Amino acid sequence: MIDNELQKRILSSIILLPITIFFIFKGSIFFIFFLSLIFFAVIYEWYNMSKNNKLTRIFGIIFLFFSFFIAFYLRENSFNFFLLIIVVCIFTDIGGYIFGKVFKGLKLTKISPSKTYSGMIGSFLISLIAGLIYLDYAGNREIFIKDHLKIFLLILFISFVSQLGDLIISYFKRKANLKDTGKILPGHGGLLDRIDGLIFALPASYILILIIGSI
């Protein structure tokens, strides 16, 4: 039997996914509009969550601006890589949620009591599978064959940073005595709750590629 919260989460995802896909693929102006709406909503959530520490609030706003700028830059200049990051982050979240629910097990950290080691393994495994399928679908099979180890490590790195970002936001929620960053998404919480991993994975992955070179 699917619980009420999971029903809300599934329904929200069914509505949000096609909207997000539309704005990502439609064109630059549409994507800028979509990105701007998310940016200001996330800034608002962060502003409320960090009200007890002005320095943290300012640093967070600067970081969010940088992360959203990287999102726009990658979408315009490296679309396949941009989509790879999104796919890996989405399936990192899905893998962690499914494996955590099914296998449960030892808790990962006190920062986020719902996180488990089984969920962490699921995040890496499902995101790796999804990332490789995406690369094959996107026509980058040659890249994988040529340098499969680098591709494996890149996907695992994106997944790791995504999970780390989730924990970082959970830490600030815990400090603010909040369960969710907002209530805009039924079953999910706030927008920041949904893209916490992505806002860390985007700049981290971009910086990594700058260091090691293109894949």
Side-chain angles (χ1 to χ4, degrees):
M1 186 70 178
I2 299 177
D3 61 54
N4 189 47
E5 282 302 305
L6 183 55
Q7 288 179 1
K8 290 179 180 178
R9 181 182 285 246
I10 293 172
L11 181 60
S12 296
S13 298
I14 291 173
I15 295 171
L16 287 171
L17 187 59
I19 294 174
T20 302
I21 291 172
F22 171 82
F23 280 105
I24 288 176
F25 283 89
K26 185 62 177 177
S28 298
I29 298 299
F30 288 90
F31 184 66
I32 290 172
F33 172 74
F34 181 63
L35 202 63
S36 297
L37 289 179
I38 296 175
F39 174 73
F40 286 114
V42 168
I43 287 291
Y44 175 76
E45 291 177 355
W46 174 255
Y47 187 86
N48 287 332
M49 188 171 67
S50 60
K51 58 186 176 182
N52 295 326
N53 192 317
K54 291 183 178 179
L55 184 61
T56 299
R57 175 185 287 175
I58 293 171
F59 177 78
I61 290 173
I62 293 171
F63 175 77
L64 286 169
F65 179 82
F66 175 66
S67 179
F68 275 76
F69 173 78
I70 293 299
F72 173 74
Y73 177 83
L74 288 178
R75 193 268 177 200
E76 295 299 303
N77 295 280
S78 187
F79 191 62
N80 281 342
F81 182 47
F82 173 68
L83 288 183
L84 174 64
I85 297 171
I86 292 177
V87 168
V88 172
C89 287
I90 288 174
F91 282 93
T92 291
D93 202 26
I94 291 173
Y97 184 82
I98 293 175
F99 272 60
K101 284 284 187 182
V102 173
F103 298 105
K104 303 185 188 304
L106 295 174
K107 301 296 182 182
L108 183 62
T109 172
K110 292 181 180 179
I111 295 174
S112 183
S114 63
K115 298 291 189 296
T116 61
Y117 281 98
S118 62
M120 180 184 68
I121 293 171
S123 291
F124 282 124
L125 179 61
I126 300 301
S127 64
L128 183 61
I129 293 171
L132 294 177
I133 290 174
Y134 166 74
L135 287 176
D136 185 38
Y137 174 79
N140 289 331
R141 185 181 300 177
E142 294 80 7
I143 295 175
F144 172 67
I145 294 173
K146 180 181 178 181
D147 208 340
H148 57 274
L149 179 59
K150 187 184 287 187
I151 294 296
F152 268 110
L153 293 178
L154 176 62
I155 294 173
L156 292 177
F157 174 79
I158 295 171
S159 180
F160 170 75
V161 175
S162 180
Q163 294 179 64
L164 183 62
D166 192 340
L167 289 176
I168 290 172
I169 297 301
S170 293
Y171 168 76
F172 284 109
K173 285 193 292 186
R174 193 177 181 87
K175 285 191 67 175
N177 294 315
L178 295 173
K179 180 180 182 294
D180 299 311
T181 60
K183 299 179 180 179
I184 193 171
L185 301 175
H188 293 278
L191 278 171
L192 187 53
D193 288 312
R194 287 283 46 85
I195 64 170
D196 46 12
L198 186 60
I199 61 175
F200 284 87
L202 280 165
S205 301
Y206 175 67
I207 292 170
L208 177 66
I209 290 301
L210 287 180
I211 294 172
I212 67 174
S214 61
I215 58 175

